[in-house]
Amino acid sequence: MDVGQMQRQLVEYTKSLFIEGYLDSQFLQLQQLQDESNPSFVAEVVSLFFEDSERILKDLTFALEQKIIDFKKVDAHVHQFKGSSSSIGAQRVKNACIAFRGYCEEQNVNSCTRCLQQVKQEYFIVKNKLETLFRLEHQIIGAGGSIPMVELSF
Amino acid sequence: MDSGFSSPRRDAFPAGLRVLVVDDDPTWIRILEKMLKKCSYEVTTCGLAREALNLLRERKDGYDIVISDVNMPDMDGFKLLEHVGLEMDLPVIMMSVDGETSRVMKGVQHGACDYLLKPIRMKELRNIWQHVFRKRIHEAREFEGHEGFEGIHLMRNGSDQSEDGMLFSLEDMPSMKKRKDLDNNHDDKEFGDPSSTKKARVVWSVDLHQKFVKAVNQIGFDKVGPKRILDLMNVPWLTRENVASHLQKYRLYLSRLLKENDQRSSSSGTKPSDLPPRDTAGDFGFQNLTNKQQNDVAVDSFNYSDVPLQSHSSETKIRNGDLKAIVSDSIAEKRRALSGSIPGTKVSPQISLNHSSFGPLKPEGRHAVFDCTIPSTQFTWSETPEMPLKKEHKSFLQLEDSSFSHSPLHVTQRKIQGLKSHSVASVCSNPTITESEVAASVETKPMYADYKREYASSVSSIGSVVDTIPTQSKSLMENAQLSEPSSAKNLAMKTQGFNYDLEFYPENLLDEDLHFYWLQGEYYNMNWGFENIGMPEYYDPGLVAELSSHLHDSADCTLVDQGLFIA
């Protein structure tokens, strides 16, 4: 695959992520913030997000495993996760968090546990997708090409 | 103050705006930092609210604006907001991924100059400089004296680089003003604090505030008026407006403390029975409230205040009730005062509240104490000094009792510094504020923003205790209710060792006076975070409104309030 092909592939892949709702315009904002002074800004931010997310998810799981669940705490964690997922534009994760919070209010253990699974799932999916994206970018750069700007009409 | 850790940029404003970003989310911190840098701002980030407060206090004039997330792990964002507003008087922007109207409203009520929803866009951050600018202009105008106008004048003409006349370095103003101030420096005047000059305000130094408090006490809280105070103080350069403004803040501060106190007690669930019979006058608490409520004719006009109270029904019911009562009471008190027909009986119950706690106080029977509410609150304090006074103690201590003059309120707030260990002691133990006691960096600078900065340092020593402190300062007033005999003293300081010097406000502060002043059109902008509440509309009820607004989420009000009255 030549650079041109790789670039096209990257563009298509990126677009699909937006169209399928995995990412929203916040991700575009991040991409726009990236510049020569900070060429790997997006990757840095995303990896910060991954790190933080693992921690939050761990806390969440722990909180829901308790005999007596402290829903306030669970809600706090979900809120936190909602905030950080919104930072990179992980839309599906964010939406899952919103639903999750609703169940926290109801203090419905089963629904909350289910929500946690959903949130985790969404998280891992988007994590996977982003890693693929970065891999594609690396390949292009490795092949001497530049990363094309994705134009989206949001 | 240009010698701060980061000297203000002389470039075209708003470039170089010094922003402090506070957020516990590392991803957001990184993103915001990048975005702000793109706006050519100078960014400092921190992940904890306490850390932020420390930074702010260390460099009194090192930042122009603070942006903070609402949900912080170590401290409620709203509380931080209040502290910053009171101590440093910096504009604060709140952020959250949660955009519920109630939250936004809370932010505004606590003094946020803006509330941004995450994800935040570049364009939103680009415009934050307007808040800094607006504040400066506002402050300059507020300073009725010539300084204010001159400040603006200097600002306009002194810019190094004004292309279209609008771009100028805000630091020019302070530095210019500083020069001017140095020329006029008198003994009592303390313009040493660069931050104060920047604001073009009278800096209420410890000395000055003490003079003020002394004067107020001498005159008698119920009879106090800016003119009389001014005369007594005998400070040549001070204007009546300065005094009036300060007095207003003092009153509000006290009332807030009272309120917080009440709320705190209500939320903490302390039982009134715990309180020792300090209520010489009888049942302060709710009983008084009821009485007051009945007596409050002015209640109607304070609907506004009621509303906010209601909205925070999440707080203890008592609190709401208290607030109402307090508000009503205060209003009633004011009215009564104004009309000069304060029924002794009515007031007395309230008064007793204050009396009892403040040992030396002589029950004068005229306590415009707003919050006769929860005796337990006070009790709580005295009982559990360590207890974080997170609950709203926005009690309105409007003690008219001149006897308070001796109250611990006067305790030097300076002590705050040493109060890290929650030793309220200083407050109560020293009836008079002695400058020497000002161990803490807390310069008892009442109300003024600059003052707050100083205060902030002392506050910081209190750390988390801050929450409790507010009550403390006001606690003196409120603490009157504290069961302990020396309650007042212990109350305030104990909880947080934050010696705010609530003591400033002897019960003598009558809200009537405040009320009166308001009527006089001396509505000074109180930077208690009320700014955004549109207080001006509530001239008469304004006090109430302010109080009520403070009642909300009182938990956070604390420090800030106290900071104002630290002498």
Side-chain angles (χ1 to χ4, degrees), chain B residues 305-340:
Chain B
S305 51
D306 285 344
V307 170
L309 293 179
Q310 313 294 338
S311 59
H312 294 270
S313 52
S314 55
E315 308 286 353
T316 62
K317 283 192 239 142
I318 293 177
R319 180 160 149 280
N320 283 342
D322 292 341
L323 290 178
K324 249 207 192 120
I326 295 178
V327 168
S328 325
D329 287 339
S330 55
I331 300 175
E333 288 294 346
K334 289 192 290 194
R335 294 268 161 109
R336 285 197 290 264
L338 289 176
S339 58

Side-chain angles (χ1 to χ4, degrees), chain B residues 4-75:
Chain B
F5 80 111
S6 86
S7 31
R9 295 258 312 263
R10 295 304 182 146
D11 321 5
F13 179 82
L17 195 73
R18 295 158 307 161
V19 186
L20 176 66
V21 182
V22 190
D23 198 327
D24 63 327
D25 188 324
T27 322
W28 270 114
I29 281 268
R30 188 83 177 78
I31 296 174
L32 289 169
E33 184 184 31
K34 182 80 175 149
M35 287 168 84
L36 289 166
K37 282 200 168 136
K38 276 230 151 153
C39 298
S40 306
Y41 295 153
E42 232 179 73
V43 189
T44 309
T45 62
C46 66
L48 287 173
R50 302 219 180 281
E51 196 188 313
L53 274 177
N54 288 338
L55 279 176
L56 287 165
R57 286 170 190 152
E58 275 169 35
R59 295 161 173 154
K60 295 280 159 63
D61 222 12
Y63 305 95
D64 296 311
I65 187 166
V66 179
I67 301 183
S68 171
D69 188 275
V70 168
N71 297 85
M72 297 294 292
D74 61 335
M75 186 196 286

Side-chain angles (χ1 to χ4, degrees), chain A residues 14-103:
Chain A
T14 310
K15 278 190 180 173
S16 75
L17 293 183
F18 287 104
I19 291 169
E20 289 167 29
Y22 289 105
L23 295 177
D24 61 27
S25 55
Q26 174 65 11
F27 192 76
L28 277 179
Q29 286 268 311
L30 292 190
Q31 288 184 319
Q32 282 166 14
L33 283 174
Q34 186 163 286
D35 53 25
E36 300 81 38
S37 70
N38 209 327
S40 48
F41 174 70
V42 183
E44 280 171 29
V45 171
V46 172
S47 57
L48 272 174
F49 167 68
F50 289 159
E51 266 175 49
D52 205 37
S53 300
E54 315 275 325
R55 180 184 62 83
I56 298 175
L57 285 173
K58 208 158 51 160
D59 290 344
L60 251 177
T61 311
F62 181 75
L64 279 175
E65 279 171 356
Q66 300 307 301
K67 277 219 164 79
I68 299 176
I69 297 177
D70 180 356
F71 284 98
K72 267 202 150 65
K73 216 169 166 56
V74 174
D75 182 69
H77 286 311
V78 178
H79 180 87
Q80 213 185 341
F81 200 37
K82 180 183 168 196
S84 68
S85 62
S86 71
S87 73
I88 63 151
Q91 193 173 258
R92 285 206 187 179
V93 178
K94 185 171 91 170
N95 290 339
C97 287
I98 293 174
F100 197 156
R101 288 193 86 191
Y103 289 117

